Amino acid sequence: MERLRQQALEAEWAADGRALIEMARGILVGRLGCGAAEASRQLTRLADQSGVTVLSLAVDVINQAARDGVSEIAQQFLKTAAAAESEPAGEPRAAVRLRAAESRVLAAADVQAVATALLQNAFGPLGASGVAIWLVGPDSSLALVGQAGFTQEDAERWRHVPPEVATCARLALHSRDLAVVACLSEAGIPTIGRRQHPDGGRIMAPAGTGGRIHGILEVSWPDRLPSQQPQILRQLEAMAELCAHTLEEQSLDIPPPSARVAPPTGVGELVDLADHLNDPVLILTPHLDRAGRLSDFRVHHTNSRFIDPAGRPRSLVTGAHFLEAYPAAAENNGLFSKLERVYATGEPCHAPRTALTAFVDEVPLTSVADVSISRHGTALLLIWKIEDETARLASLLQHAQRLGRVGGFEQNTRTGAITWNGQLFALFGLPSTASPVPLEDLAAHAHPHDVNSIGRFLRTLLHRLRESSVDFRLRRPDGITRHIRIVAEPVLDAHGRLYAVRGACQDISAQHWTEVALAATRDQLADSEAESADRTKLALKLQHAIMPPAPATLEVPGIRIAVRYRPAESHSLVGGDWYDSVVLPNEKILISVGDVAGHGIQAATGMVVLRNALRGLAVTGAGPAQLLSWLNAVAYHLTGNLTATAVCGIYDPATRSLRWARAGHLPPVLVRGDHVQALPLVPGMLLGALPDPEFAEHEVQLEREDILLMYTDGLIERRDISVTDALSNLLTVASQHKESLDKRLDNLLTYSASDTDDDTCLIGVQVR
């Protein structure tokens, strides 16, 4: 995509540039009075002398043509070029030296002349003592093709460097970038001229064109190399690029690439080689951009064994650009980067299990293959072997057996030959060189208690000729006991006679101990459930014995008392709600409602303690506040961290007055005709919270037909609204007129807004 976009932009720029150049030529023809050919030569000559492109000069000519300054422009360019050549000292002098070295390098007839010119004109003035030019072979070997400043003996010794030998030049070849060795004695890397200057320094630069490295330029200094200025390093890189052109022309092994696509020189033999290989092969030739840099490869040839991951025929892949056919190869560290490295360095590459992705209708199809890449001249030989379905399934089977701890076996009953896979040796704790265990000797390796089970397994398998399985405890040579399950089947010949037995063994130790743990957990859970059920049943019996769910209406002088008790729907939520009404010796009436915190047997027993304690304390004739104070002492000191709420009232039938107190409980509700109100919240903390809290009393004068309602929070409590709103809903329901006290209480229970599934106690007191 990037190449196509760049080609489109270049086409647009080329069209615009041609139009501008033609316009500038026309201006020169009209102004200078020359022909079209002479105007073209003048425009090219001025552009070369000024160091700019023809297009840039054409733009300047057009911009200044209106001022009739074409001749001045030409003269100005010529003066600028002459001034740069005649600069006497400073940085321009270095530029003159660089241009002189470039001209001599370009004029050199061979690589040896290039090395001499570089040392005399470019690096000698910088203090360098020698220059070596190495040619990179197809196998990454190095050949010394040019040198200056070194002895003839060193040149003969370093004429050829095999690919496995590490030298200074190979540092630049591997990194594909500039490499610096400050001191040879400290680095310990061998190279040419080390005997002459053992403490000298080296700078190596790769010499390449079109993304391919043809050789290495190595420059030596006699002493330790100080840090170099960036301009010197840039000069060395520029000289290395000039060397690359000479190496490219004189190399016998590497034919030069063209401006666009490298010609398939010598590829015919490579095609013949590819057609004789049994694996899929692609022959790739480099594709270079306008600047001569490697941008892609073209698929020059695919052999008859070629298999495309996307299922495309060979004709659609051959001739296409590699990145167009396989765009996913351009990912970081992908296949294309490996192709680039092999093309640049010549080092072969083998990449097992490489992902090959092709797109079909924008859907990626990925295959896994073993990839091998090698360079032959300018071409690359790409071999990939895609894993077939059989190999992939075999690999999956091996992994499944390993993860499932399963081993397979086969035993020939006629010859006695036994075949085990590697996983089965591991299950039995035997080395892979050990002899497999025959089925007849299996009992000798099992726990004594499992011998009979193995015998039944063998009789079913070998005599009845039926598939069979057995679980037993295997005693391994290392002293470890494992739980093993064997599943086997008989293999019969054409006459129905037993020929072999094949099967599988699985280590089920983890499953066995999991089942043991689950069984123990189930037993423990069953005991806990039974114990919990017994405790719940006891709590229910205790609760129902004291407070039956449907108590009878209580008739006492002056008032009528009705009670409703609604137990929790879930037996696991047996609570401690309680109520009581009793005529005291002084003919006054005790009316109380309470709620012990929590559920279960502890709440039920706590309720019994508090209810009976309050009844006994009321015989003393004390007021409600004093009774709650004594009851708090019972809850705090005698019941063990028990807390509860309660409302206690003493009604005097003679005066129709009610004295009451509360301990953290909701206030009673008074219904008088059509008016319903909650009595005030007098101070009073819940029972059992503090050792000596204070309780206040409140007295209310009742009238004839008044109804007083006392209740526990199970009647109104909801999870989604506040207690204040819940109490307001209760007052609304209580205001509904009913014919009798019983119907009024039933109506309150029916339209109760509670959703906590808690016990509910409700007492209604009606004055006669």
Side-chain angles (χ1 to χ4, degrees):
M1 291 177 63
E2 182 62 30
R3 182 172 62 252
L4 294 176
R5 186 183 298 110
Q6 186 65 27
Q7 290 176 356
L9 292 176
E10 290 176 356
E12 294 178 3
W13 294 339
D16 296 340
R18 285 194 297 270
L20 293 174
I21 292 173
E22 292 299 329
M23 185 180 297
R25 288 174 181 173
I27 293 174
L28 290 179
V29 169
R31 299 298 186 184
L32 300 180
C34 60
E38 180 63 24
S40 177
R41 286 194 294 271
Q42 288 289 340
L43 194 63
T44 303
R45 182 175 61 83
L46 290 175
D48 293 339
Q49 292 177 352
S50 60
V52 298
T53 62
V54 176
L55 180 60
S56 299
L57 181 60
V59 172
D60 291 337
V61 170
I62 295 171
N63 289 338
Q64 299 189 28
R67 298 193 296 272
D68 196 21
V70 176
S71 59
E72 289 80 4
I73 296 172
Q75 294 175 3
Q76 181 180 0
F77 284 133
L78 293 174
K79 290 180 181 179
T80 303
E85 290 289 341
S86 61
E87 188 67 31
E91 184 65 26
R93 180 173 297 173
V96 171
R97 185 178 70 249
L98 178 60
R99 285 195 295 272
E102 291 176 352
S103 62
R104 286 173 174 78
V105 168
L106 293 175
D110 54 16
V111 183
Q112 180 61 39
V114 170
T116 303
L118 287 176
L119 182 61
Q120 293 177 353
N121 299 280
F123 302 115
L126 299 177
S129 60
V131 171
I133 300 177
W134 305 89
L135 177 67
V136 179
D139 57 349
S140 298
S141 62
L142 298 175
L144 184 64
V145 293
Q147 61 87 18
F150 300 104
T151 64
Q152 189 63 30
E153 181 183 0
D154 269 348
E156 290 295 330
R157 291 179 61 250
W158 289 91
R159 182 177 55 85
H160 177 75
V161 180
E164 63 272 8
V165 177
T167 63
C168 291
R170 200 170 296 280
L171 296 177
L173 179 61
H174 285 171
S175 64
R176 303 179 64 184
D177 199 359
L178 201 70
V180 179
V181 176
C183 181
L184 290 176
S185 60
E186 294 179 0
I189 303 177
T191 187
I192 184 173
R194 183 176 178 181
R195 293 182 178 180
Q196 294 175 273
H197 306 290
D199 296 327
R202 300 296 171 98
I203 300 180
M204 292 69 63
T209 58
R212 175 182 163 192
I213 299 177
H214 300 286
I216 304 296
L217 173 62
E218 180 177 354
V219 183
S220 68
W221 273 262
D223 301 318
R224 183 183 182 89
L225 189 64
S227 59
Q228 297 296 315
Q229 299 179 358
Q231 56 267 30
I232 295 178
L233 300 179
R234 289 196 298 269
Q235 179 177 341
L236 194 146
E237 290 178 338
M239 293 302 161
E241 185 175 354
L242 292 177
C243 292
H245 292 284
T246 305
L247 291 172
E248 184 181 18
E249 293 173 359
Q250 298 193 3
S251 173
L252 298 179
D253 297 327
I254 308 175
S258 67
R260 297 298 293 174
V261 181
T265 305
V267 177
E269 298 178 357
L270 197 59
V271 171
D272 294 338
L273 173 63
D275 290 337
H276 286 84
L277 296 177
N278 293 326
D279 295 327
V281 176
L282 291 86
I283 298 178
L284 307 177
T285 56
H287 182 84
L288 311 180
D289 58 14
R290 295 178 64 89
R293 295 185 298 268
L294 178 68
S295 63
D296 200 352
F297 293 92
R298 188 180 297 276
V299 181
H300 179 77
H301 177 72
T302 56
N303 66 350
S304 58
R305 301 280 185 173
F306 173 76
I307 299 176
D308 181 62
R312 293 171 294 189
R314 295 171 55 198
S315 58
L316 292 181
V317 179
T318 304
H321 287 92
F322 186 78
L323 288 180
E324 292 179 358
Y326 306 101
E331 296 179 353
N332 293 334
N333 299 322
L335 181 58
F336 188 76
S337 63
K338 296 179 176 64
L339 295 173
E340 286 182 312
R341 172 172 286 279
V342 174
Y343 177 76
T345 64
E347 295 183 359
C349 173
H350 178 67
R353 297 193 60 79
T354 300
L356 301 177
T357 302
F359 289 85
V360 178
D361 296 332
E362 301 183 359
V363 177
L365 299 178
T366 302
S367 302
V368 178
D370 291 340
V371 175
S372 297
I373 310 171
S374 58
R375 192 183 76 186
H376 302 268
T378 57
L380 296 183
L381 187 67
L382 174 60
I383 303 175
W384 64 38
K385 187 175 182 181
I386 299 177
E387 291 185 353
D388 57 10
E389 189 69 12
T390 303
R392 188 176 67 85
L393 292 178
S395 177
L396 289 177
L397 179 59
Q398 291 178 358
H399 290 299
Q401 290 178 341
R402 176 180 58 84
L403 295 175
R405 302 182 64 82
V406 177
F409 69 91
E410 183 174 272
Q411 178 175 337
N412 191 312
T413 57
R414 297 179 182 177
T415 64
I418 303 175
T419 303
W420 278 14
N421 66 354
Q423 185 63 32
L424 194 54
F425 283 99
L427 290 181
F428 274 73
L430 298 174
S432 57
T433 57
S435 299
V437 178
L439 289 175
E440 295 80 3
D441 298 340
L442 195 60
H445 297 266
H447 193 276
H449 294 172
D450 297 330
V451 172
N452 293 334
S453 300
I454 294 177
R456 288 191 296 269
F457 163 74
L458 294 177
R459 286 193 297 272
T460 303
L461 182 66
L462 302 177
H463 298 287
R464 299 178 184 174
L465 302 182
R466 290 165 49 189
E467 179 183 340
S468 182
S469 64
V470 64
D471 295 353
F472 68 97
R473 285 162 288 183
L474 174 68
R475 296 188 300 181
R476 305 197 324 180
D478 53 10
I480 299 176
T481 300
R482 308 295 295 178
H483 289 262
I484 301 295
R485 172 176 296 157
I486 294 183
V487 179
E489 65 178 0
V491 180
L492 307 179
D493 58 13
H495 303 288
R497 291 173 297 186
L498 181 64
Y499 174 76
V501 175
R502 60 190 173 199
C505 299
Q506 183 180 14
D507 187 347
I508 59 170
S509 300
Q511 177 183 347
H512 170 77
W513 293 117
T514 301
E515 292 177 353
V516 171
L518 287 175
T521 302
R522 284 193 294 266
D523 293 341
Q524 185 178 3
L525 182 60
D527 294 341
S528 300
E529 290 179 348
E531 182 180 356
S532 177
D534 292 341
R535 292 172 61 88
T536 301
K537 187 181 299 184
L538 177 61
L540 283 173
K541 289 182 178 180
L542 181 62
Q543 190 180 57
H544 293 169
I546 299 174
M547 292 178 300
T553 302
L554 181 62
E555 298 287 347
V556 296
I559 60 174
R560 183 171 182 268
I561 301 177
V563 178
R564 293 292 184 271
Y565 174 71
R566 181 177 63 190
E569 295 182 4
S570 174
H571 289 174
S572 62
L573 296 178
V574 176
D577 290 17
W578 52 274
Y579 61 89
D580 197 10
S581 59
V582 61
V583 179
L584 301 177
N586 57 7
E587 297 184 356
K588 295 180 180 179
I589 302 172
L590 170 68
I591 306 171
S592 61
V593 172
D595 185 2
V596 176
H599 299 88
I601 188 65
Q602 184 177 3
T605 55
M607 173 267 294
V608 174
V609 171
L610 295 183
R611 182 174 181 270
N612 293 337
L614 182 59
R615 175 174 287 195
L617 293 172
V619 179
T620 62
Q626 183 62 52
L627 292 177
L628 290 181
S629 179
W630 289 338
L631 194 61
N632 178 79
V634 173
Y636 188 83
H637 295 286
L638 302 179
T639 58
N641 299 326
L642 181 69
T643 58
T645 63
V647 172
C648 177
I650 303 295
Y651 178 72
D652 188 355
T655 61
R656 293 179 182 169
S657 63
L658 175 70
R659 294 165 53 207
W660 67 280
R662 57 181 288 272
H665 204 85
L666 296 172
V669 173
L670 177 61
V671 181
R672 179 170 291 169
D674 296 332
H675 180 68
V676 180
Q677 66 174 0
L679 298 183
L681 281 173
V682 297
M685 184 175 292
L686 78 162
L687 303 174
L690 294 176
D692 193 17
E694 294 184 358
F695 298 95
E697 290 186 4
H698 184 265
E699 185 175 354
V700 59
Q701 186 66 41
L702 300 180
E703 299 179 0
R704 186 176 299 175
E705 300 302 328
D706 283 352
I707 297 176
L708 185 69
L709 301 176
M710 294 183 178
Y711 51 90
T712 58
D713 56 3
L715 181 67
I716 65 170
E717 194 173 38
R718 289 186 60 86
R719 298 182 179 90
D720 55 347
I721 62 176
S722 64
V723 176
T724 304
D725 295 336
L727 183 59
S728 177
N729 293 337
L730 175 64
L731 298 179
T732 302
V733 178
S735 63
Q736 299 176 4
H737 179 73
K738 297 298 176 182
E739 294 80 0
S740 63
L741 179 61
D742 292 322
K743 290 185 178 181
R744 188 180 292 271
L745 298 186
D746 293 337
N747 186 65
L748 286 172
L749 289 178
T750 300
Y751 293 98
S752 169
S754 174
D755 63 355
T756 58
D757 191 24
D758 199 1
D759 290 355
T760 299
C761 286
L762 177 61
I763 296 181
V765 180
Q766 185 176 23
V767 181
R768 294 189 175 185

